[in-house]
Amino acid sequence: MNRLVLLAAGVAVLGAVLVFVLLVFGLPVGSSLALLVEGAFGDKFGWSRTAVKATPLLLASLGIVIAWRSAMYNIGGEGQLLVGATAGALAYKLVPLTPGLVLTPLVLIASAIAGSLFAAFAGWLHVRRGVQVVISTILLNFVAIQGISYAASGPLRESTGALPVSDRLPENVMLTRFDAQTDFHTGTLLAILLAGALFVYLFRTAHGFNLRLVGENPQAADAARIDGGRIRIQAMALSGALCGLAGGVEYAGVVGQISSGFSQNWGFLAIPAALIGGLHPLGVVASSGFVGALFAGSENLARLSAGGTTLIYVMQAMGVLGFVALQTLLKNRAVRGGL
């Protein structure tokens, strides 16, 4: 019952936030909403834009979910995403003549492994050396930002050396597109499948239960002789793998080359998306789709307003605040027996 109430109230909160932000920006609510919906779902191009923008966000949000479920507050999704994309570009650089059927999975695997190692390092620092994972992952973001910039202008620079970007992936290495006129690619299906797999892992397996127990009640986990430190490092490694894969999918699915401006802050945006999704794998599918639709729809709205994408960041911030406040309110009422 509580979940249904929370879901209905959450939708109402997000809708109210959307309308409120439009009013604050002085935009006509009716026509602005129509433009948002048209841009996000008006035709196959709108649906494609929504799916493509939601895909890296969903993968990175899943990474945030699994880390936070173990009480490892991974703020480094952006860095892990960038490291993953760089590793994918490196894989192509090392074996450029490999057939696409082999090279595409190789790019994705390299991305996941690189992101995993990057995040696991922060997990190891926390468990073995007591370094706060929030601090370490924030700082590692800056390392990754400088790293991709160095790679794109240095060792991975395109063959002609004219621009600070890597060589573009050949079309046969890019993820398969369902329609040649749109960017909708198989990475979206992969992200949805992984959301389902993560749900099964967290809520249907003993290891997933142990991970949640370590996050929610570390004293009980210690009493049950569960190695919390090992599980936290594993959670960070899996979290980084998903964030790194987000970079690989964006690289092999849409962008095709890396540069200093590779990401649209998907790793940072994944944090509010994960919170809005209730730190639940299936909830994150909905919240990522919602944010992806906002981004896609805002491209239409930007033609009418100077607010443009700025609106989306304001909506996200207020949406997260409203949703967290709602969760707290419902929990307090439940404790008092109000629900």
Side-chain angles (χ1 to χ4, degrees), residues 59-138:
L59 286 168
S61 297
L62 292 173
I64 299 300
V65 166
I66 192 165
W68 285 41
R69 282 283 186 172
S70 68
M72 295 290 278
Y73 302 110
N74 179 15
I75 312 296
E78 180 71 7
Q80 292 142 29
L81 182 149
L82 294 177
V83 166
T86 305
L90 177 62
Y92 171 59
K93 184 79 171 182
L94 293 175
V95 287
L97 301 180
T98 306
L101 196 61
V102 176
L103 186 51
T104 304
L106 185 62
V107 165
L108 298 182
I109 291 171
S111 299
I113 291 175
S116 177
L117 293 175
F118 204 58
F121 175 61
W124 180 84
L125 285 176
H126 175 75
V127 172
R128 303 302 181 198
R129 294 291 181 267
V131 179
Q132 285 297 322
V133 72
V134 172
I135 302 299
S136 62
T137 50
I138 287 176

Side-chain angles (χ1 to χ4, degrees), residues 34-62:
L35 284 171
L36 282 172
V37 172
E38 180 186 353
F41 307 111
D43 51 26
K44 66 177 182 180
F45 300 104
W47 281 97
S48 170
R49 281 193 297 271
T50 296
V52 167
K53 291 181 184 301
T55 297
L57 191 58
L58 172 56
L59 286 168
S61 297
L62 292 173

Side-chain angles (χ1 to χ4, degrees), residues 8-310:
V11 172
V13 167
L14 291 175
V17 165
L18 183 60
V19 172
F20 177 74
V21 172
L22 290 173
L23 289 172
V24 168
F25 275 74
L27 298 174
V29 174
S31 58
S32 296
L33 289 176
L35 284 171
L36 282 172
V37 172
E38 180 186 353
F41 307 111
D43 51 26
K44 66 177 182 180
F45 300 104
W47 281 97
S48 170
R49 281 193 297 271
T50 296
V52 167
K53 291 181 184 301
T55 297
L57 191 58
L58 172 56
L59 286 168
S61 297
L62 292 173
I64 299 300
V65 166
I66 192 165
W68 285 41
R69 282 283 186 172
S70 68
M72 295 290 278
Y73 302 110
N74 179 15
I75 312 296
E78 180 71 7
Q80 292 142 29
L81 182 149
L82 294 177
V83 166
T86 305
L90 177 62
Y92 171 59
K93 184 79 171 182
L94 293 175
V95 287
L97 301 180
T98 306
L101 196 61
V102 176
L103 186 51
T104 304
L106 185 62
V107 165
L108 298 182
I109 291 171
S111 299
I113 291 175
S116 177
L117 293 175
F118 204 58
F121 175 61
W124 180 84
L125 285 176
H126 175 75
V127 172
R128 303 302 181 198
R129 294 291 181 267
V131 179
Q132 285 297 322
V133 72
V134 172
I135 302 299
S136 62
T137 50
I138 287 176
L139 295 178
L140 285 172
N141 281 332
F142 295 104
V143 174
I145 290 170
Q146 295 304 317
I148 193 172
S149 179
Y150 166 75
S153 59
L156 299 183
R157 191 166 188 155
E158 53 146 346
S159 306
T160 64
L163 298 171
V165 297
S166 67
D167 284 319
R168 187 170 186 79
L169 276 178
E171 198 57 37
N172 68 327
V173 182
M174 298 288 285
L175 290 170
T176 304
R177 297 185 180 183
F178 297 99
D179 186 329
Q181 294 181 315
T182 71
D183 290 333
F184 184 39
H185 54 74
T186 50
T188 304
L189 299 183
L190 175 64
I192 294 173
L193 287 174
L194 287 176
L198 187 59
F199 169 78
V200 171
Y201 165 68
L202 281 176
F203 298 102
R204 297 292 186 272
T205 69
H207 196 276
F209 173 80
N210 289 343
L211 185 147
R212 290 188 289 122
L213 183 62
V214 166
E216 294 174 10
N217 195 334
Q219 291 79 16
D222 289 339
R225 297 185 178 181
I226 295 173
D227 188 344
R230 180 172 57 84
I231 286 183
R232 289 189 181 99
I233 294 176
Q234 291 173 347
M236 282 298 292
L238 185 52
S239 173
L242 288 165
C243 293
L245 184 60
V249 167
E250 184 71 356
Y251 169 62
V254 180
V255 184
Q257 54 191 162
I258 64 166
S259 67
S260 58
F262 173 80
S263 174
Q264 298 184 38
N265 296 323
W266 297 124
F268 293 123
L269 294 169
I271 297 172
L275 290 172
I276 291 175
L279 294 177
H280 191 287
L282 302 185
V284 164
V285 174
S287 63
S288 297
F290 175 76
V291 176
L294 282 179
F295 271 101
S298 72
E299 293 179 358
N300 242 14
L301 189 60
R303 300 172 190 168
L304 185 70
S305 163
T309 308
T310 304

